[in-house]
Amino acid sequence: MQTKSSHILTAILLYAFFGVFLIWPIAQGISAAFVRHDQFTLEYFQLIFHDPVLMRGLLNSALVAIAVTVLCLLLSLPLAMVMRYEFPGRNIFQGLLLLPLILPPFVGAIGIRQLLSRFGPITVILNALSHHHWPMGIDWLGRMRFLGVIVIETLGLYPILLLNLQAALANIDPSLELAAANLGAGKMRIFRRIILPLLRPGLFAGCTLVLIWSFTELGTPLMFDVYTLTPVQIFSRITDVSDNPIPFALVFVLLIASALLYAIGKIVLGRGLPASTTKAGRASTQHPLHGLSSFAAILFCASICFLAILPHLSVILISLSSPGSWYQTLLPAHFTLVHYFNALRDPLVIPSIANSILYASLATVLAAIVALGVAMLVTRSHLPTRYLLDSLSMLPLAVPGIVLAFGYVAISIHFKQRFGDRTPSWLDFQQSPLLLLIIAYATRRLPYIVRSIVAGLEQIPYDLELAAANLGANAGRVLRKITLPLITANLLAGVLLAFTFAMLEVSDSLILAQRTDYYPITKAIWELSARLGDGPCIAAALGVWAMLVLGLTLLCANSVLGKKMGALFRI
């Protein structure tokens, strides 16, 4: 067993990791917004607040985030309530409703962009159903680009809120509802007075994540060519960031706005409740639905599932269609598998896959080591600061990815300005972003492994480790022979999730990978989607491969973690 001194040493090393790779990048990115010629200044913020374009970007970002969060709530809360009951096909729907997690929203945007094209399937359907004919097509993307961003982000993010709500519902003691029903309360009153107040922790966790994620989402607006959003305005200035600190000022404003959104959510939804009222005293049972109620539940879930998989189906169809064959038709006129083979021969694709595997593998190893140390201290030590470590490990979920990415950019620029040509190439994100990408991926995906390992450690008897220590085994032997074998499934689930989500990381990839030979998969998909000819088809084929990999990973993780999957997306 670990002694107190070893706990303290482990804690020091972990604090050093978080200080260097999490707190320092954030602080460096913030400080870059306040310095001009080595002097403190607020000039860049004055420029932002006097620039109507940048202010409109902040307002648009906030409106998109609020709209996405409200729509996710309108989808997820009824779904979470319906899934408490037993009805035909419930288990199938449970899996289908989580399908959006296997595709980054910005990849799904390729499919939605096709559906909303001027002569796309939606225009074809309207022409068939109405007496009016649009010979020039309907310019959906010209009129409703923001609507496209809101729709695809809603369909991509609602599972995060759904998982949190389902986890919160599982912790509600069913005897509370039974007691209220025995006192004559109807179902709506029980929902308002019992269930909804007890759902506050899940609502806070899910809504906050969705709000911050959609507020700072970069990839989806880029795919829809929406440039009046703050994340896109920051990204568009990446090329001259060394000489223009305005992007860092925008990043700071974005961080403050995200913190305010978090604080508002904490005040409104995050108030704690007594443990005795939130933890189920006995397992809840799923009551069966019959007749019209069962049909309504099936119809509702099927409708949401259809909307949820619509981007995926469209991406698959694009990957199978010949260039130009999906025009003024409901489905592609010609199908082919050539794009999957062309992807293997494309000079951009194979190197990007190899790069992503390398980045994600090294990042996962680093994250697993750090996560194991955090989880052991949180569950096995009595250090008064262990919960601070737990909070630091979950902070990357609350801090926007674009903020962390620009923090690493700020560190790179700091070294370059200080050492000039003597700056090592691995510290220059424009020359060799390998190290920065690995650290960024590891930090961003650390929470998944931490929560997974903590869940495993909380389930195994601590007495087994104590017994091994009493028999003379040292801390390392206890870890190797007792602890790790017992949490192997949980560790594997967390590692798989971290690896696959790192493979599909968007913000860090788009910002830090500036040279083609360092492009990961997501940066390659973005480049290909804008290429004329078969570029979007090859990008869609890459997206399909990504869906398959991440889908298998989520199935494996869900089989291990079950209802604890929601804890992976909780702050």
Side-chain angles (χ1 to χ4, degrees), residues 100-114 148-157 213-214 216-225 232 235 311-312 314-315 318 352 356 441 445 500-511 519-530 535-536 538-540 542-544 546-547 550:
L101 288 176
I102 71 173
L103 190 69
F106 101 109
V107 178
I110 299 175
I112 294 297
R113 197 170 61 180
Q114 172 63 34
V149 172
I150 291 170
V151 168
I152 193 63
E153 289 187 13
T154 299
L155 294 178
L157 298 178
W213 195 323
S214 56
T216 61
E217 169 68 13
L218 172 61
T220 304
L222 280 176
M223 296 299 289
F224 279 99
D225 297 323
V232 180
F235 176 75
H312 307 69
S314 184
V315 169
I318 293 171
S352 70
S356 285
Y441 286 3
R445 301 309 170 195
T500 49
F501 278 115
M503 286 277 290
L504 300 174
E505 177 64 40
V506 178
S507 295
D508 295 319
S509 301
L510 294 180
I511 291 170
Y519 277 6
I521 289 177
T522 46
K523 189 68 177 275
I525 290 175
W526 180 63
E527 289 283 345
L528 287 167
S529 66
I538 295 178
L542 266 180
V544 173
M547 278 193 279
L550 191 50

Side-chain angles (χ1 to χ4, degrees), residues 157-373:
L157 298 178
Y158 84 83
I160 295 176
L161 182 52
L162 178 62
L163 284 171
N164 277 280
L165 290 176
Q166 286 183 311
L169 284 170
N171 282 333
I172 296 178
D173 193 333
S175 61
L176 297 175
E177 301 173 63
L178 184 61
N182 290 335
L183 292 173
K187 290 185 177 180
M188 287 304 299
R189 189 172 185 183
I190 292 174
F191 175 76
R192 293 196 314 269
R193 303 298 295 272
I194 304 293
I195 297 176
L196 199 56
L198 295 178
L199 277 180
R200 285 205 307 261
L203 281 172
F204 165 68
C207 287
T208 301
L209 273 179
V210 171
L211 194 66
I212 293 175
W213 195 323
S214 56
F215 182 63
T216 61
E217 169 68 13
L218 172 61
T220 304
L222 280 176
M223 296 299 289
F224 279 99
D225 297 323
V226 175
Y227 301 108
T228 52
L229 292 173
T230 300
V232 180
Q233 291 172 337
I234 294 172
F235 176 75
S236 64
R237 290 166 169 81
I238 188 69
T239 54
D240 63 342
V241 72
S242 300
D243 304 314
N244 181 13
I246 284 184
F248 292 109
L250 281 171
V251 166
F252 178 73
V253 173
L254 206 64
L255 180 61
I256 294 299
S258 299
L260 287 174
L261 293 175
Y262 178 88
I264 292 171
K266 186 71 172 176
I267 293 170
V268 175
L269 300 172
R271 290 171 291 170
L273 292 166
S276 59
T277 64
T278 57
K279 190 66 176 176
R282 62 184 179 89
S284 59
T285 57
Q286 292 172 351
H287 300 287
L289 295 176
H290 302 287
L292 188 60
S293 297
S294 177
F295 175 76
I298 294 173
L299 181 62
F300 177 62
C301 291
S303 300
I304 302 302
C305 286
F306 174 75
L307 291 175
I309 66 175
L310 198 57
H312 307 69
L313 293 175
S314 184
V315 169
I316 293 172
L317 288 174
I318 293 171
S319 71
L320 294 172
S321 64
S322 300
S325 66
W326 200 356
Y327 181 76
Q328 294 186 327
T329 56
L330 184 62
L331 295 173
H334 302 286
F335 290 92
T336 179
L337 293 173
V338 70
H339 304 305
Y340 290 91
F341 298 104
N342 287 344
L344 300 178
R345 296 196 296 264
D346 193 284
L348 191 61
V349 172
I350 295 301
S352 70
I353 294 175
N355 287 339
S356 285
I357 292 174
L358 175 64
Y359 303 155
S361 299
L362 295 177
T364 302
V365 171
L366 176 60
I369 295 171
V370 175
L372 183 60

Side-chain angles (χ1 to χ4, degrees), residues 454-483:
V454 167
L457 289 173
E458 289 175 343
Q459 291 174 341
I460 66 174
Y462 188 37
D463 294 343
L464 296 177
E465 298 169 73
L466 287 174
N470 290 334
L471 291 173
N474 58 32
R477 187 174 178 83
V478 172
L479 181 65
R480 293 194 312 273
K481 297 293 186 178
I482 305 295
T483 309

Side-chain angles (χ1 to χ4, degrees), residues 335-553:
F335 290 92
T336 179
L337 293 173
V338 70
H339 304 305
Y340 290 91
F341 298 104
N342 287 344
L344 300 178
R345 296 196 296 264
D346 193 284
L348 191 61
V349 172
I350 295 301
S352 70
I353 294 175
N355 287 339
S356 285
I357 292 174
L358 175 64
Y359 303 155
S361 299
L362 295 177
T364 302
V365 171
L366 176 60
I369 295 171
V370 175
L372 183 60
V374 172
M376 291 296 294
L377 289 182
V378 169
T379 59
R380 297 295 188 259
S381 79
H382 298 285
L383 295 178
T385 61
R386 63 187 184 278
Y387 295 113
L388 176 59
L389 277 175
D390 191 36
S391 299
L392 285 173
S393 69
M394 301 307 293
L395 186 60
L397 283 180
V399 175
I402 195 170
V403 172
L404 271 179
F406 262 83
Y408 296 123
V409 170
I411 290 175
S412 175
I413 292 174
H414 170 76
F415 278 101
K416 196 169 182 179
Q417 290 176 343
R418 184 168 184 177
F419 297 104
D421 294 337
R422 293 182 290 117
T423 304
S425 60
W426 47 269
L427 282 175
D428 187 347
F429 81 101
Q430 292 178 324
Q431 296 298 320
S432 177
L434 173 63
L435 180 63
L436 294 177
L437 282 168
I438 291 171
I439 294 172
Y441 286 3
T443 306
R444 290 276 292 153
R445 301 309 170 195
L446 177 65
Y448 302 150
I449 309 183
V450 171
R451 289 274 69 85
S452 186
I453 296 178
V454 167
L457 289 173
E458 289 175 343
Q459 291 174 341
I460 66 174
Y462 188 37
D463 294 343
L464 296 177
E465 298 169 73
L466 287 174
N470 290 334
L471 291 173
N474 58 32
R477 187 174 178 83
V478 172
L479 181 65
R480 293 194 312 273
K481 297 293 186 178
I482 305 295
T483 309
L484 285 180
L486 291 175
I487 63 168
T488 296
N490 292 79
L491 178 60
L492 182 60
V495 163
L496 284 174
L497 281 171
F499 176 80
T500 49
F501 278 115
M503 286 277 290
L504 300 174
E505 177 64 40
V506 178
S507 295
D508 295 319
S509 301
L510 294 180
I511 291 170
L512 294 175
Q514 294 297 307
R515 287 179 48 180
T516 305
D517 48 341
Y518 286 98
Y519 277 6
I521 289 177
T522 46
K523 189 68 177 275
I525 290 175
W526 180 63
E527 289 283 345
L528 287 167
S529 66
R531 195 172 77 185
L532 297 177
D534 64 350
C537 299
I538 295 178
L542 266 180
V544 173
W545 288 120
M547 278 193 279
L548 292 174
V549 172
L550 191 50
L552 291 174
T553 301

